[in-house]
Every structure is written in C-alpha cells, then in structure tokens.
Amino acid sequence: MEGVTDEALMDQFCQGEQPAFEALFARHAGRVHGFLARMVRDGPLAEDLMQTTFLSVIRARGRYERGTRFTPWLLTIAANAARDALRHQQHVDAHAHAPPDGPTSVPAPDGDPAMRRRIEDALQQLPVEQREAVVLSKLEGWSFEEIAEMRGIRAGAARLRAHRGYERLRELLGGLEEVS
C-alpha cells in the first residue's frame, strides 16, 4: 500500500478493509512505541501502551472524521494513554511503601549512551505537560500549532510549556552546551 496516504488508509479501514489497518500499524508502530517509551520510560509499559493505542484506533474508527490528519490523531491517542498510565502510576506510588523498580531505558542506537541516559533521566524529571511538548517539538518535529491542536490549547501555551521544559533541562543537564 505504498503511495497511499495515511488518511486514505484510515478511510479504507473505516470502510472495513483490515489490510489498511495492518498497513497503518506497520507504518506507525515504531514511531508510536518510541514516543511512548520517551513519555513513560518503561519498555514493557510502552509496548503495552502501543498495543492499547492501536486497539483504541480500532475502537474509535467510527469517530474518525474524514480529512483529519492521521498522525496527530494517532499520537493524541498515544499521549492520552501515556498520561493515563502516568497518572495511574503516581496513584500506585503514592499508596505503596516499597520503592518502585528502577525504570528501564530505551537503548541508544548510536551516539554516547551515557549522554543519552543523562538526557532521558532529565526528561523524566519534567512535568508531563513540559515533557510532552519537548518530545513532540524536538524529537517528533511537530510545530507548536500541531501540539496545541492535539492538546486543545493555544500555540502560545504549547510554546510556553516547551520553553519551560527546555529551561528546566538546561538546569538539570548543567554543563551541556545547547539543549533546545
């Protein structure tokens, strides 16, 4: 199904064509997993959330509006799944006395693994809204207008969240040159 847009595939899937969904999954599973891994920083949880995201796509196909850009719609579903999981984990952590298991890291395919680990650790210290804005803008290449649309906020608010996240990352990473 090369050459067919994501939106056309989603339209086909909404009409009951299962191969269209399989093509969308093949195209986007890696990207969704990477996004979720950066948001929750737990490989097995990210895998579960990726499955939840695509299951939600199946369930929500009747609500998909023709002409809606597919990737922002998909990552909105993924972001909501990550937020729900993080909220749930905060609730569990608040009521548990045992220290949680240490988080796992996304393996670094290239570059300095120690530096990548340091940056991942710093990202996890950001509030969820700032982390999401930083990940979407810097790692996923989204515009602030796209982030704003996804979150239902103004572009200026998305820009401010990202800016505050960059500033906090600069503080946390200290001696590194340029973070944003």
Side-chain angles (χ1 to χ4, degrees):
M1 297 202 175
E2 283 185 45
V4 179
T5 67
D6 292 338
E7 293 74 17
L9 286 171
M10 189 60 191
D11 287 342
Q12 291 172 14
F13 176 56
C14 289
Q15 299 301 315
E17 295 183 32
Q18 186 65 27
F21 174 77
E22 293 167 6
L24 287 168
F25 183 86
R27 282 185 189 177
H28 293 281
R31 182 179 192 180
V32 169
H33 185 271
F35 170 73
L36 290 167
R38 287 187 292 272
M39 289 300 294
V40 300
R41 199 162 163 228
D42 177 337
L45 178 57
E47 181 69 28
D48 289 348
L49 292 173
M50 182 188 69
Q51 297 298 328
T52 299
T53 297
F54 282 98
L55 193 58
S56 294
V57 167
I58 292 169
R59 290 179 180 147
R61 70 179 171 212
R63 294 187 307 272
Y64 177 79
E65 296 179 21
R66 187 176 205 155
T68 299
R69 289 182 45 225
F70 179 76
T71 301
W73 184 74
L74 175 64
L75 288 182
T76 297
I77 294 170
N80 289 337
R83 285 171 169 267
D84 289 346
L86 291 170
R87 256 192 308 272
H88 174 73
Q89 189 60 48
Q90 287 173 343
H91 179 74
V92 168
D93 289 348
H95 292 90
H97 297 307
D101 292 336
T104 60
S105 177
V106 176
D110 56 359
D112 181 356
M115 180 60 66
R116 181 167 182 128
R117 175 68 181 203
R118 193 168 163 209
I119 292 169
E120 288 175 352
D121 288 344
L123 267 173
Q124 292 306 307
Q125 293 180 46
L126 297 179
V128 175
E129 294 82 12
Q130 292 176 11
R131 183 180 335 141
E132 184 178 69
V134 169
V135 168
L136 288 173
S137 67
K138 290 298 179 187
L139 302 176
E140 294 294 329
W142 284 33
S143 71
F144 293 117
E145 290 74 17
E146 290 171 319
I147 296 169
E149 182 180 327
M150 179 183 106
R151 296 300 337 143
I153 58 176
R154 293 184 336 268
R159 189 174 288 109
L160 181 61
R161 287 178 182 182
H163 175 74
R164 287 181 177 161
Y166 304 147
E167 289 299 314
R168 182 70 180 129
L169 285 174
R170 282 187 191 97
E171 291 171 16
L172 292 168
L173 295 171
L176 292 181
E177 288 299 313
E178 180 75 13
V179 174
S180 65

